[in-house]
Structures are given as C-alpha cells and as structure tokens.
Amino acid sequence: MSRLSLFNSPLLLGFDHFERALDRVAKSQAEGYPPYNIEQIGENGLRITLAVAGFAMEDLSVGLEDSQLIIRGRQAEDDCSRIFLHRGIAARQFQRSFVLAEGIEVKAASLDNGLLHVDLERPRAETKVRSIPIQGAGPAPRTIDLSGDEATESKPRRHPGR
C-alpha cells in the first residue's frame, strides 16, 4: 500500500527532507517517558526540560545526530540486596528525540533538582534578496532588481564599438 505524501505537489520542490523529519517526529511521539516541557525563554531562546528524577549527571547524555537532539538516560544497575515492597519510581533507560529546525543551536544543558534543562537558540530570520540574470537568445542578458521598493529593469550598457 502506498502512503499519501503531503509534499507530492509539483510546486513543492526539494521538500523531501521535511517529509522525513515529519516521519521522525511521528515515531518519537509514541514515547511517553520521561515527561518534558518546551518553553520559550527570551526572544530567540527555547528550553526543553525533562523530568529525570533519580538519574545522576553521569547517567545522562545529550547529543546531536544530524538535525536531531537526542537525550539518553541509563541508570547503573540496582543493588540486588534491596527488596522493594512497591516500586513506583521509574528506573528504566530512555531515549528522547527532538527534531530541530535548520539553524537551531544547542547552547547548554544543566541538571537541577531532578530536571534536565537543555537551552536552544533560534537564529534571527534574515531576508535574502537576490537578482537572477535572465538570458535570452539575444546578445545581452537583462536583470530585474527586486531589492528596491519598485521592480526596475535594467539592460547592460553597450560600449561603443561592440
């Protein structure tokens, strides 16, 4: 059975990497442990906070793989001499993945009172304007300047004798 793609329009060229990112997000949504928050801190800052009570700093790892932030936790083996009458505190290993947009940078990670904070920074969006030369069958290409308030067309000046 073929899967219907959101990006199969001929007007959306080169967006196949978005489709792969959406697939990764859909797979990681099924994970429920550990719980986390995502909050905006400042104009361009984001913070992911995971509840990792019972994990020591050496039990946790934060890394980047391609455009994914991957947070892993693995506790050392329990002492076999302990006998639990009730065990409600999770002590299992986990892996939590977050797909990051292009340009987002991981700035820091810190562990405080059972909460792992990962700070991210989103770069400011810059508007890019560029003129593309139009080449025709004629001798001189013309360009359209889109950077000003009005679109103006200019033709290269011909030098006498050419």
Side-chain angles (χ1 to χ4, degrees), residues 71-129:
I71 302 168
R72 293 182 177 97
R74 182 179 182 106
Q75 290 181 324
E77 295 296 321
D78 279 340
D79 183 12
C80 295
S81 64
R82 293 171 47 183
I83 299 173
F84 291 96
L85 300 178
H86 172 77
R87 188 166 188 169
I89 299 173
R92 62 181 187 245
Q93 67 182 14
F94 70 87
Q95 177 174 311
R96 180 66 87 167
S97 300
F98 299 91
V99 179
L100 302 180
E102 187 175 321
I104 290 188
E105 294 182 29
V106 178
K107 290 298 186 182
S110 61
L111 184 63
D112 182 33
N113 292 325
L115 298 174
L116 176 65
H117 303 287
V118 180
D119 292 337
L120 310 170
E121 186 173 42
R122 180 179 25 208
R124 293 185 182 267
E126 295 180 17
T127 304
K128 296 179 182 178
V129 178

Short mmCIF file of all heavy atoms in Angstrom, two decimals, residues 71-129:
data_model
loop_
_atom_site.label_atom_id
_atom_site.label_comp_id
_atom_site.label_asym_id
_atom_site.label_seq_id
_atom_site.Cartn_x
_atom_site.Cartn_y
_atom_site.Cartn_z
N ILE A 71 18.46 12.75 23.72
CA ILE A 71 18.76 12.72 25.14
C ILE A 71 18.56 11.29 25.61
O ILE A 71 17.49 10.71 25.40
CB ILE A 71 17.86 13.70 25.91
CG1 ILE A 71 18.04 15.12 25.36
CG2 ILE A 71 18.16 13.64 27.40
CD1 ILE A 71 17.02 16.10 25.83
N ARG A 72 19.59 10.74 26.24
CA ARG A 72 19.54 9.35 26.71
C ARG A 72 19.79 9.31 28.21
O ARG A 72 20.58 10.09 28.74
CB ARG A 72 20.60 8.50 26.01
CG ARG A 72 20.35 8.32 24.53
CD ARG A 72 21.44 7.43 23.90
NE ARG A 72 21.17 7.18 22.51
CZ ARG A 72 21.72 7.85 21.50
NH1 ARG A 72 22.60 8.81 21.75
NH2 ARG A 72 21.42 7.56 20.25
N GLY A 73 19.15 8.36 28.85
CA GLY A 73 19.36 8.13 30.27
C GLY A 73 19.46 6.65 30.54
O GLY A 73 18.65 5.87 30.03
N ARG A 74 20.46 6.27 31.30
CA ARG A 74 20.66 4.87 31.67
C ARG A 74 21.26 4.84 33.07
O ARG A 74 22.38 5.28 33.27
CB ARG A 74 21.57 4.18 30.68
CG ARG A 74 21.77 2.72 30.97
CD ARG A 74 22.67 2.07 29.93
NE ARG A 74 22.80 0.68 30.21
CZ ARG A 74 22.20 -0.29 29.52
NH1 ARG A 74 21.46 0.02 28.49
NH2 ARG A 74 22.36 -1.54 29.83
N GLN A 75 20.49 4.31 34.02
CA GLN A 75 20.97 4.22 35.39
C GLN A 75 21.81 2.98 35.58
O GLN A 75 21.61 1.97 34.90
CB GLN A 75 19.80 4.20 36.37
CG GLN A 75 19.08 5.54 36.45
CD GLN A 75 17.95 5.49 37.44
OE1 GLN A 75 17.27 4.49 37.57
NE2 GLN A 75 17.73 6.60 38.14
N ALA A 76 22.74 3.08 36.50
CA ALA A 76 23.55 1.92 36.86
C ALA A 76 22.64 0.85 37.46
O ALA A 76 21.56 1.16 37.98
CB ALA A 76 24.62 2.33 37.85
N GLU A 77 23.06 -0.37 37.38
CA GLU A 77 22.26 -1.48 37.90
C GLU A 77 21.99 -1.30 39.39
O GLU A 77 22.85 -0.86 40.14
CB GLU A 77 22.98 -2.81 37.66
CG GLU A 77 23.13 -3.14 36.19
CD GLU A 77 21.80 -3.35 35.48
OE1 GLU A 77 20.88 -3.95 36.09
OE2 GLU A 77 21.67 -2.89 34.33
N ASP A 78 20.76 -1.66 39.77
CA ASP A 78 20.39 -1.57 41.19
C ASP A 78 21.13 -2.60 42.02
O ASP A 78 21.54 -3.65 41.53
CB ASP A 78 18.88 -1.83 41.35
CG ASP A 78 18.07 -0.59 41.04
OD1 ASP A 78 18.63 0.51 41.07
OD2 ASP A 78 16.86 -0.75 40.78
N ASP A 79 21.28 -2.26 43.26
CA ASP A 79 21.86 -3.20 44.21
C ASP A 79 20.84 -4.33 44.41
O ASP A 79 19.69 -4.09 44.78
CB ASP A 79 22.14 -2.46 45.52
CG ASP A 79 22.81 -3.34 46.54
OD1 ASP A 79 23.26 -4.45 46.17
OD2 ASP A 79 22.87 -2.91 47.70
N CYS A 80 21.23 -5.55 44.16
CA CYS A 80 20.32 -6.70 44.25
C CYS A 80 19.87 -6.98 45.69
O CYS A 80 18.93 -7.73 45.91
CB CYS A 80 20.97 -7.95 43.66
SG CYS A 80 21.27 -7.80 41.90
N SER A 81 20.55 -6.39 46.65
CA SER A 81 20.19 -6.65 48.04
C SER A 81 18.95 -5.86 48.48
O SER A 81 18.39 -6.15 49.52
CB SER A 81 21.37 -6.31 48.96
OG SER A 81 21.66 -4.94 48.89
N ARG A 82 18.52 -4.91 47.66
CA ARG A 82 17.34 -4.12 48.02
C ARG A 82 16.08 -4.89 47.65
O ARG A 82 15.96 -5.43 46.55
CB ARG A 82 17.36 -2.78 47.30
CG ARG A 82 18.50 -1.91 47.79
CD ARG A 82 18.74 -0.67 47.00
NE ARG A 82 17.55 0.10 46.69
CZ ARG A 82 17.57 1.20 45.95
NH1 ARG A 82 18.71 1.65 45.48
NH2 ARG A 82 16.48 1.86 45.70
N ILE A 83 15.12 -4.91 48.56
CA ILE A 83 13.85 -5.58 48.32
C ILE A 83 12.76 -4.51 48.33
O ILE A 83 12.55 -3.84 49.34
CB ILE A 83 13.56 -6.65 49.39
CG1 ILE A 83 14.65 -7.71 49.37
CG2 ILE A 83 12.18 -7.26 49.18
CD1 ILE A 83 14.54 -8.71 50.51
N PHE A 84 12.08 -4.36 47.21
CA PHE A 84 11.03 -3.35 47.09
C PHE A 84 9.68 -3.97 47.41
O PHE A 84 9.32 -5.02 46.88
CB PHE A 84 10.99 -2.79 45.65
CG PHE A 84 12.17 -1.97 45.28
CD1 PHE A 84 13.23 -2.53 44.58
CD2 PHE A 84 12.24 -0.63 45.60
CE1 PHE A 84 14.34 -1.78 44.22
CE2 PHE A 84 13.34 0.14 45.25
CZ PHE A 84 14.39 -0.44 44.57
N LEU A 85 8.91 -3.32 48.28
CA LEU A 85 7.53 -3.72 48.53
C LEU A 85 6.62 -3.07 47.49
O LEU A 85 5.58 -3.63 47.15
CB LEU A 85 7.11 -3.32 49.94
CG LEU A 85 7.94 -3.96 51.06
CD1 LEU A 85 7.47 -3.47 52.41
CD2 LEU A 85 7.88 -5.48 50.97
N HIS A 86 7.00 -1.90 47.05
CA HIS A 86 6.31 -1.21 45.96
C HIS A 86 7.36 -0.42 45.19
O HIS A 86 8.18 0.26 45.79
CB HIS A 86 5.23 -0.26 46.48
CG HIS A 86 4.65 0.60 45.40
ND1 HIS A 86 3.73 0.11 44.50
CD2 HIS A 86 4.87 1.89 45.05
CE1 HIS A 86 3.40 1.06 43.66
NE2 HIS A 86 4.07 2.16 43.97
N ARG A 87 7.34 -0.51 43.88
CA ARG A 87 8.32 0.23 43.08
C ARG A 87 7.57 1.11 42.08
O ARG A 87 7.13 0.65 41.04
CB ARG A 87 9.25 -0.72 42.35
CG ARG A 87 10.39 0.02 41.69
CD ARG A 87 11.47 -0.91 41.26
NE ARG A 87 12.61 -0.14 40.81
CZ ARG A 87 13.78 -0.64 40.56
NH1 ARG A 87 13.99 -1.93 40.74
NH2 ARG A 87 14.76 0.12 40.16
N GLY A 88 7.41 2.36 42.44
CA GLY A 88 6.68 3.30 41.59
C GLY A 88 7.57 4.32 40.93
O GLY A 88 7.13 5.07 40.07
N ILE A 89 8.83 4.38 41.33
CA ILE A 89 9.76 5.31 40.72
C ILE A 89 10.44 4.61 39.56
O ILE A 89 11.09 3.58 39.75
CB ILE A 89 10.81 5.80 41.75
CG1 ILE A 89 10.12 6.51 42.90
CG2 ILE A 89 11.83 6.71 41.07
CD1 ILE A 89 11.05 6.88 44.03
N ALA A 90 10.25 5.17 38.38
CA ALA A 90 10.82 4.54 37.18
C ALA A 90 12.33 4.58 37.24
O ALA A 90 12.92 5.60 37.58
CB ALA A 90 10.32 5.26 35.94
N ALA A 91 12.95 3.46 36.90
CA ALA A 91 14.41 3.39 36.87
C ALA A 91 14.86 2.79 35.55
O ALA A 91 15.90 2.19 35.46
CB ALA A 91 14.91 2.56 38.04
N ARG A 92 14.03 2.96 34.54
CA ARG A 92 14.36 2.36 33.25
C ARG A 92 15.16 3.33 32.39
O ARG A 92 15.13 4.53 32.60
CB ARG A 92 13.09 1.93 32.53
CG ARG A 92 12.16 3.10 32.20
CD ARG A 92 10.92 2.58 31.51
NE ARG A 92 10.11 3.68 31.04
CZ ARG A 92 8.91 3.96 31.49
NH1 ARG A 92 8.38 3.26 32.45
NH2 ARG A 92 8.24 4.97 30.98
N GLN A 93 15.83 2.78 31.42
CA GLN A 93 16.57 3.63 30.50
C GLN A 93 15.58 4.28 29.53
O GLN A 93 14.47 3.80 29.34
CB GLN A 93 17.62 2.83 29.76
CG GLN A 93 17.08 1.79 28.80
CD GLN A 93 18.21 1.02 28.16
OE1 GLN A 93 19.35 1.08 28.60
NE2 GLN A 93 17.89 0.29 27.12
N PHE A 94 16.02 5.39 28.93
CA PHE A 94 15.15 6.08 27.98
C PHE A 94 15.99 6.74 26.90
O PHE A 94 17.19 6.94 27.05
CB PHE A 94 14.28 7.13 28.68
CG PHE A 94 15.04 8.33 29.18
CD1 PHE A 94 15.28 9.42 28.36
CD2 PHE A 94 15.54 8.36 30.47
CE1 PHE A 94 15.99 10.52 28.82
CE2 PHE A 94 16.24 9.44 30.94
CZ PHE A 94 16.48 10.53 30.11
N GLN A 95 15.32 7.06 25.82
CA GLN A 95 15.89 7.88 24.76
C GLN A 95 14.77 8.78 24.26
O GLN A 95 13.72 8.30 23.88
CB GLN A 95 16.43 7.04 23.61
CG GLN A 95 16.95 7.90 22.48
CD GLN A 95 17.61 7.08 21.40
OE1 GLN A 95 18.44 6.24 21.68
NE2 GLN A 95 17.24 7.34 20.16
N ARG A 96 15.00 10.07 24.29
CA ARG A 96 14.00 11.04 23.84
C ARG A 96 14.64 11.84 22.72
O ARG A 96 15.76 12.35 22.87
CB ARG A 96 13.62 11.93 25.01
CG ARG A 96 12.62 13.00 24.74
CD ARG A 96 11.28 12.46 24.39
NE ARG A 96 10.47 12.20 25.55
CZ ARG A 96 9.17 11.96 25.48
NH1 ARG A 96 8.57 11.94 24.32
NH2 ARG A 96 8.48 11.71 26.55
N SER A 97 13.95 11.96 21.58
CA SER A 97 14.49 12.66 20.42
C SER A 97 13.64 13.87 20.09
O SER A 97 12.41 13.81 20.18
CB SER A 97 14.51 11.73 19.20
OG SER A 97 15.30 10.61 19.46
N PHE A 98 14.30 14.93 19.66
CA PHE A 98 13.63 16.15 19.22
C PHE A 98 14.23 16.55 17.88
O PHE A 98 15.45 16.68 17.77
CB PHE A 98 13.83 17.30 20.23
CG PHE A 98 13.28 17.00 21.59
CD1 PHE A 98 14.07 16.40 22.55
CD2 PHE A 98 11.97 17.31 21.90
CE1 PHE A 98 13.57 16.11 23.81
CE2 PHE A 98 11.45 17.02 23.16
CZ PHE A 98 12.25 16.43 24.12
N VAL A 99 13.41 16.72 16.87
CA VAL A 99 13.88 17.15 15.56
C VAL A 99 14.00 18.67 15.59
O VAL A 99 13.04 19.37 15.91
CB VAL A 99 12.91 16.71 14.44
CG1 VAL A 99 13.40 17.19 13.09
CG2 VAL A 99 12.77 15.20 14.44
N LEU A 100 15.20 19.16 15.29
CA LEU A 100 15.46 20.59 15.34
C LEU A 100 15.39 21.19 13.94
O LEU A 100 15.83 20.59 12.98
CB LEU A 100 16.85 20.86 15.93
CG LEU A 100 17.12 20.31 17.32
CD1 LEU A 100 18.54 20.65 17.76
CD2 LEU A 100 16.11 20.84 18.32
N ALA A 101 14.85 22.40 13.88
CA ALA A 101 14.82 23.12 12.60
C ALA A 101 16.23 23.54 12.22
O ALA A 101 17.13 23.62 13.08
CB ALA A 101 13.92 24.35 12.71
N GLU A 102 16.43 23.81 10.97
CA GLU A 102 17.75 24.21 10.49
C GLU A 102 18.18 25.50 11.18
O GLU A 102 17.40 26.44 11.31
CB GLU A 102 17.69 24.43 8.98
CG GLU A 102 19.03 24.68 8.35
CD GLU A 102 18.93 24.76 6.84
OE1 GLU A 102 18.17 23.98 6.26
OE2 GLU A 102 19.61 25.62 6.27
N GLY A 103 19.39 25.53 11.66
CA GLY A 103 19.95 26.73 12.28
C GLY A 103 19.80 26.79 13.79
O GLY A 103 20.46 27.59 14.44
N ILE A 104 18.96 25.96 14.39
CA ILE A 104 18.81 25.98 15.85
C ILE A 104 20.07 25.38 16.48
O ILE A 104 20.54 24.33 16.07
CB ILE A 104 17.55 25.23 16.30
CG1 ILE A 104 16.32 26.03 15.89
CG2 ILE A 104 17.57 24.99 17.81
CD1 ILE A 104 15.02 25.51 16.43
N GLU A 105 20.60 26.08 17.47
CA GLU A 105 21.83 25.66 18.13
C GLU A 105 21.54 25.26 19.57
O GLU A 105 20.75 25.90 20.25
CB GLU A 105 22.84 26.81 18.14
CG GLU A 105 23.34 27.20 16.78
CD GLU A 105 24.38 28.32 16.87
OE1 GLU A 105 25.08 28.39 17.90
OE2 GLU A 105 24.46 29.09 15.92
N VAL A 106 22.20 24.20 20.02
CA VAL A 106 22.13 23.80 21.42
C VAL A 106 23.17 24.61 22.17
O VAL A 106 24.36 24.53 21.87
CB VAL A 106 22.37 22.29 21.58
CG1 VAL A 106 22.33 21.90 23.05
CG2 VAL A 106 21.38 21.49 20.77
N LYS A 107 22.74 25.40 23.13
CA LYS A 107 23.65 26.29 23.85
C LYS A 107 24.18 25.67 25.14
O LYS A 107 25.35 25.85 25.47
CB LYS A 107 22.94 27.62 24.19
CG LYS A 107 22.70 28.47 22.97
CD LYS A 107 24.02 28.84 22.35
CE LYS A 107 23.88 29.80 21.22
NZ LYS A 107 25.13 30.12 20.58
N ALA A 108 23.33 24.97 25.90
CA ALA A 108 23.78 24.44 27.19
C ALA A 108 22.82 23.36 27.68
O ALA A 108 21.68 23.29 27.23
CB ALA A 108 23.86 25.57 28.23
N ALA A 109 23.30 22.55 28.61
CA ALA A 109 22.47 21.56 29.29
C ALA A 109 22.86 21.58 30.76
O ALA A 109 24.04 21.67 31.10
CB ALA A 109 22.68 20.16 28.70
N SER A 110 21.86 21.53 31.64
CA SER A 110 22.14 21.55 33.07
C SER A 110 21.13 20.66 33.80
O SER A 110 20.00 20.49 33.36
CB SER A 110 22.09 22.98 33.61
OG SER A 110 20.80 23.54 33.43
N LEU A 111 21.58 20.10 34.92
CA LEU A 111 20.74 19.24 35.74
C LEU A 111 20.54 19.93 37.08
O LEU A 111 21.51 20.30 37.75
CB LEU A 111 21.42 17.88 35.93
CG LEU A 111 20.65 16.81 36.69
CD1 LEU A 111 19.37 16.43 35.96
CD2 LEU A 111 21.53 15.58 36.89
N ASP A 112 19.26 20.12 37.46
CA ASP A 112 18.96 20.84 38.70
C ASP A 112 17.70 20.24 39.33
O ASP A 112 16.63 20.28 38.71
CB ASP A 112 18.75 22.33 38.39
CG ASP A 112 18.47 23.15 39.63
OD1 ASP A 112 19.01 22.83 40.70
OD2 ASP A 112 17.70 24.12 39.52
N ASN A 113 17.83 19.69 40.53
CA ASN A 113 16.70 19.14 41.29
C ASN A 113 15.86 18.14 40.48
O ASN A 113 14.64 18.19 40.48
CB ASN A 113 15.79 20.27 41.79
CG ASN A 113 16.46 21.11 42.84
OD1 ASN A 113 17.24 20.62 43.64
ND2 ASN A 113 16.18 22.40 42.82
N GLY A 114 16.52 17.24 39.77
CA GLY A 114 15.81 16.21 39.03
C GLY A 114 15.25 16.66 37.70
O GLY A 114 14.52 15.91 37.06
N LEU A 115 15.59 17.87 37.27
CA LEU A 115 15.14 18.39 35.97
C LEU A 115 16.36 18.64 35.09
O LEU A 115 17.29 19.34 35.49
CB LEU A 115 14.34 19.68 36.14
CG LEU A 115 13.05 19.57 36.94
CD1 LEU A 115 12.45 20.96 37.15
CD2 LEU A 115 12.06 18.65 36.25
N LEU A 116 16.32 18.09 33.89
CA LEU A 116 17.38 18.33 32.91
C LEU A 116 16.90 19.44 31.99
O LEU A 116 15.86 19.31 31.34
CB LEU A 116 17.68 17.07 32.11
CG LEU A 116 18.71 17.21 30.99
CD1 LEU A 116 20.08 17.55 31.55
CD2 LEU A 116 18.76 15.95 30.14
N HIS A 117 17.66 20.54 31.95
CA HIS A 117 17.32 21.69 31.10
C HIS A 117 18.28 21.72 29.92
O HIS A 117 19.50 21.67 30.11
CB HIS A 117 17.46 23.01 31.87
CG HIS A 117 16.63 23.08 33.11
ND1 HIS A 117 15.27 23.24 33.08
CD2 HIS A 117 16.98 23.00 34.41
CE1 HIS A 117 14.81 23.28 34.33
NE2 HIS A 117 15.83 23.13 35.15
N VAL A 118 17.74 21.81 28.71
CA VAL A 118 18.55 21.94 27.51
C VAL A 118 18.12 23.25 26.84
O VAL A 118 16.96 23.40 26.45
CB VAL A 118 18.35 20.75 26.54
CG1 VAL A 118 19.22 20.93 25.31
CG2 VAL A 118 18.67 19.44 27.24
N ASP A 119 19.06 24.20 26.77
CA ASP A 119 18.76 25.51 26.20
C ASP A 119 19.16 25.55 24.74
O ASP A 119 20.26 25.13 24.36
CB ASP A 119 19.51 26.60 26.97
CG ASP A 119 18.98 26.76 28.39
OD1 ASP A 119 17.81 26.38 28.64
OD2 ASP A 119 19.73 27.24 29.25
N LEU A 120 18.24 26.07 23.92
CA LEU A 120 18.44 26.17 22.49
C LEU A 120 18.31 27.63 22.07
O LEU A 120 17.65 28.42 22.75
CB LEU A 120 17.38 25.36 21.73
CG LEU A 120 17.17 23.92 22.18
CD1 LEU A 120 15.94 23.33 21.52
CD2 LEU A 120 18.38 23.09 21.84
N GLU A 121 18.94 27.97 20.96
CA GLU A 121 18.81 29.32 20.43
C GLU A 121 18.43 29.24 18.97
O GLU A 121 19.03 28.52 18.19
CB GLU A 121 20.11 30.10 20.58
CG GLU A 121 19.97 31.55 20.17
CD GLU A 121 21.22 32.35 20.48
OE1 GLU A 121 22.32 31.83 20.24
OE2 GLU A 121 21.08 33.49 20.95
N ARG A 122 17.37 29.99 18.64
CA ARG A 122 16.88 30.06 17.27
C ARG A 122 17.47 31.32 16.65
O ARG A 122 17.32 32.41 17.20
CB ARG A 122 15.36 30.12 17.29
CG ARG A 122 14.71 30.20 15.97
CD ARG A 122 13.21 30.24 16.06
NE ARG A 122 12.72 30.76 17.33
CZ ARG A 122 11.56 30.42 17.86
NH1 ARG A 122 10.79 29.58 17.26
NH2 ARG A 122 11.17 30.94 19.00
N PRO A 123 18.14 31.20 15.50
CA PRO A 123 18.74 32.39 14.89
C PRO A 123 17.66 33.32 14.33
O PRO A 123 16.55 32.87 14.01
CB PRO A 123 19.60 31.82 13.76
CG PRO A 123 18.96 30.53 13.43
CD PRO A 123 18.36 30.00 14.71
N ARG A 124 18.00 34.58 14.25
CA ARG A 124 17.07 35.55 13.65
C ARG A 124 16.94 35.26 12.16
O ARG A 124 17.91 34.96 11.49
CB ARG A 124 17.59 36.97 13.83
CG ARG A 124 17.61 37.43 15.25
CD ARG A 124 18.02 38.90 15.30
NE ARG A 124 18.08 39.36 16.64
CZ ARG A 124 17.06 39.95 17.27
NH1 ARG A 124 15.94 40.15 16.64
NH2 ARG A 124 17.21 40.35 18.52
N ALA A 125 15.72 35.39 11.68
CA ALA A 125 15.49 35.17 10.25
C ALA A 125 15.97 36.38 9.48
O ALA A 125 15.68 37.52 9.83
CB ALA A 125 14.00 34.95 10.00
N GLU A 126 16.74 36.12 8.44
CA GLU A 126 17.25 37.19 7.60
C GLU A 126 16.59 37.11 6.24
O GLU A 126 16.51 36.03 5.65
CB GLU A 126 18.77 37.06 7.44
CG GLU A 126 19.53 37.24 8.72
CD GLU A 126 21.03 37.10 8.51
OE1 GLU A 126 21.48 37.18 7.36
OE2 GLU A 126 21.73 36.90 9.51
N THR A 127 16.14 38.24 5.76
CA THR A 127 15.54 38.29 4.44
C THR A 127 16.66 38.35 3.41
O THR A 127 17.56 39.17 3.52
CB THR A 127 14.64 39.53 4.30
OG1 THR A 127 13.68 39.49 5.35
CG2 THR A 127 13.94 39.56 2.97
N LYS A 128 16.57 37.48 2.44
CA LYS A 128 17.59 37.45 1.40
C LYS A 128 16.95 37.84 0.08
O LYS A 128 15.94 37.28 -0.32
CB LYS A 128 18.19 36.05 1.27
CG LYS A 128 18.93 35.60 2.51
CD LYS A 128 19.49 34.22 2.35
CE LYS A 128 20.18 33.78 3.63
NZ LYS A 128 20.70 32.43 3.52
N VAL A 129 17.55 38.84 -0.58
CA VAL A 129 17.08 39.30 -1.88
C VAL A 129 18.24 39.14 -2.85
O VAL A 129 19.37 39.51 -2.54
CB VAL A 129 16.61 40.77 -1.82
CG1 VAL A 129 16.17 41.26 -3.18
CG2 VAL A 129 15.50 40.92 -0.81
#
